[in-house]
Amino acid sequence: MDTTIENAGAISGSIIQKIMDNWLDLAIIIAVLILIIVIVSISRRRLRRLLEKKIPDDKILIRKRSLTFNSVVSNLIVIVAFIAAALIIADQLGISVTPLLAGAGVAGMVIGFGAQNLIKDIINGIFILFEQWYQVNDIITVGDISGTVERFNLRTTIIRDIEGTVHYIPNGEIKTLGNRTQLWARAVVEVGVHYDEDTDRVVGILEEIFDEIMEDKKYKKAILERPSILGDGGISKLGDSAILFTMICKVRAGDQWTIGRQLRKRIKEKFDAKSHG
């Protein structure tokens, strides 16, 4: 045991001595690594702003894919820089990296540091990237978390919810996912009317609202198909105190909430006007 302690002490002393002898080189390596991280971070943010500004809304899918590619590549550059710096520092300290790069050495490191989860995250991240489950700026639901994808890399997906809370989700934990902004979406609106109301009259008023919103230049581009009452004007449900109509409207991805709110507002205003008219 004494021999082992002496060997460990000798190794530690040797490493400390090499740090003292090569402190300038080590400082330069660390400074370069920090500089690379800062440059990549600034470049990623500036490129993101440029892509959002230059790529128009009618090419939203290209914009999202470009933002996702920007996020992934930036992360890979930082990872490669870290690995390169670690190898150079090890060499400066006289630590041989050859055994670590051998098959048994790598396997031992993987098991020893619990890197199985890391590899799982990366593999799942690769599948997500190539199968295009989602892109940066998509609104997704993972488990009980819903929000906008702010960043994506091969290990982690970063989501910001409606309250502004940022969630970091390891890609390996993503099993079931819902994407609310892929290609197109639907605004779904339910309206309850009293049992005494004439249902044909209600349908007629709703159709007027559909015509009006289709003629509104502000919202026309967002609507892909004219709104309609689910079931060809039929009743969705007979509630305890109201008859329920369900309206659906196919819209551009991400516009379903805006169109849904507009439909509710116009329905309220139109029925108020009819009831006082």
Side-chain angles (χ1 to χ4, degrees):
M1 177 177 285
D2 292 340
T3 304
T4 303
I5 294 174
E6 289 177 2
N7 291 337
I11 293 172
S12 299
S14 175
I15 292 176
I16 292 172
Q17 185 60 46
K18 287 185 179 295
I19 291 175
M20 295 176 64
D21 294 340
N22 301 286
W23 68 269
L24 182 58
D25 291 338
L26 295 175
I28 292 173
I29 294 168
I30 294 172
V32 170
L33 176 61
I34 294 172
L35 182 62
I36 290 173
I37 294 172
V38 171
I39 291 174
V40 169
S41 179
I42 294 173
S43 299
R44 179 177 60 197
R45 289 196 296 268
R46 289 187 175 180
L47 183 57
R48 176 172 182 145
R49 288 196 294 266
L50 181 64
L51 291 170
E52 290 176 340
K53 182 179 180 180
K54 295 296 183 181
I55 301 178
D57 290 341
D58 58 353
K59 296 181 180 178
I60 186 70
L61 189 57
I62 295 175
R63 181 200 298 167
K64 288 181 178 180
R65 288 176 178 173
S66 300
L67 291 171
T68 304
F69 181 77
N70 175 41
S71 180
V72 172
V73 170
S74 300
N75 184 256
L76 286 176
I77 291 173
V78 171
I79 291 174
V80 171
F82 264 112
I83 294 173
L87 293 176
I88 295 172
I89 290 173
D91 182 66
Q92 290 289 323
L93 297 178
I95 301 173
S96 177
V97 298
T98 303
L100 299 178
L101 297 177
V106 172
M109 290 179 63
V110 167
I111 295 172
F113 291 98
Q116 299 95 327
N117 288 335
L118 175 61
I119 293 175
K120 180 181 176 182
D121 293 339
I122 292 174
I123 291 174
N124 210 39
I126 291 171
F127 279 113
I128 291 171
L129 179 63
F130 283 96
E131 293 181 3
Q132 297 182 2
W133 292 8
Y134 51 84
Q135 312 286 344
V136 171
N137 284 349
D138 276 350
I139 299 174
I140 65 174
T141 298
V142 181
D144 58 352
I145 299 172
S146 294
T148 303
V149 179
E150 286 210 337
R151 297 197 305 277
F152 169 79
N153 56 61
L154 295 183
R155 189 179 68 85
T156 311
T157 296
I158 297 92
I159 299 174
R160 188 182 296 273
D161 65 23
I162 194 169
E163 295 179 347
T165 303
V166 177
H167 302 269
Y168 294 83
I169 304 175
N171 292 330
E173 295 182 7
I174 299 177
K175 306 299 181 183
T176 303
L177 177 141
N179 190 331
R180 301 185 179 188
T181 51
Q182 194 168 69
L183 300 181
W184 58 271
R186 279 199 180 99
V188 180
V189 177
E190 281 194 342
V191 175
V193 298
H194 197 273
Y195 272 89
D196 292 339
E197 286 283 353
D198 183 340
T199 56
D200 289 336
R201 174 178 175 272
V202 171
V203 171
I205 294 173
L206 294 176
E207 292 292 344
E208 289 180 18
I209 296 168
F210 299 159
D211 290 336
E212 290 171 2
I213 198 169
M214 288 300 296
E215 294 173 359
D216 192 323
K217 293 181 179 179
K218 186 175 180 180
Y219 303 106
K220 187 175 182 180
K221 289 183 179 180
I223 299 174
L224 302 179
E225 292 180 3
R226 184 180 184 278
S228 62
I229 302 172
L230 194 63
D232 193 23
I235 297 171
S236 294
K237 185 179 179 181
L238 298 175
D240 294 335
S241 58
I243 299 170
L244 295 179
F245 292 88
T246 302
M247 285 149 289
I248 58 173
C249 181
K250 186 176 180 179
V251 299
R252 293 186 312 190
D255 287 322
Q256 60 265 44
W257 297 285
T258 298
I259 299 303
R261 295 185 187 103
Q262 275 299 310
L263 284 172
R264 293 184 187 95
K265 178 177 182 291
R266 290 164 187 257
I267 288 168
K268 172 67 166 59
E269 291 174 348
K270 180 69 73 172
F271 274 92
D272 284 348
K274 294 288 184 180
S275 63
H276 295 112

